[in-house]
Amino acid sequence: MHNKYLAAVFYILIGVVSLFLSFFVVFNFMFSDSGSTGERVATYIIAAAAYGIVGSAGGFIKPGSWKTASMLLILPVLVITFLYSVREIESVGLNIAYLITAIVFAFSGAYIGSWTKLRRK
């Protein structure tokens, strides 16, 4: 019974962190007016680092459910990217590349965190 509460707290925490990342990282990318290549590359690097770090922390904390944690982590990114791409059709390519970056690094980070935790046992 205690593990169910801890699992619920873990998933709620991942959801809150995901919303936090979406607000500060995804919105910064999507609503940035800058067309400079250097700034776009910087936002990709920030997103990769943020989603990789949070994903690895989630995988390390709860290695048995790293896939679920990763899906919760990227769910707001999926929604925001879809909604923004429908309205701003000219930026669909950039948005899809950003979405792929978030997905790859969230899942990779969670897998690495999970693998690290299980390897330490």
Side-chain angles (χ1 to χ4, degrees):
M1 184 91 152
H2 189 342
N3 283 340
K4 288 183 183 181
Y5 291 122
L6 287 177
V9 168
F10 172 75
Y11 292 129
I12 290 169
L13 182 63
I14 287 290
V16 168
V17 169
S18 177
L19 291 174
F20 180 79
L21 282 177
S22 296
F23 182 75
F24 287 106
V25 178
V26 179
F27 281 153
N28 180 39
F29 175 80
M30 296 288 175
F31 298 115
S32 171
D33 290 335
S34 171
S36 146
T37 305
E39 287 184 24
R40 287 290 180 197
V41 169
T43 58
Y44 281 106
I45 291 170
I46 291 168
Y51 283 97
I53 290 168
V54 173
S56 65
F60 189 82
I61 292 169
K62 197 152 173 60
S65 60
W66 65 271
K67 292 177 189 173
T68 306
S70 298
M71 286 186 261
L72 283 173
L73 191 59
I74 62 164
L75 185 63
V77 181
L78 288 168
V79 171
I80 292 168
T81 302
F82 175 75
L83 293 175
Y84 186 70
S85 295
V86 168
R87 293 183 180 205
E88 300 289 332
I89 199 72
E90 66 273 355
S91 63
V92 169
L94 285 173
N95 295 344
I96 290 173
Y98 186 84
L99 178 63
I100 291 170
T101 300
I103 290 170
V104 166
F105 280 89
F107 274 88
S108 299
Y111 176 78
I112 290 169
S114 175
W115 179 82
T116 303
K117 174 75 175 234
L118 294 174
R119 184 111 165 125
R120 292 178 71 196
K121 288 185 176 182

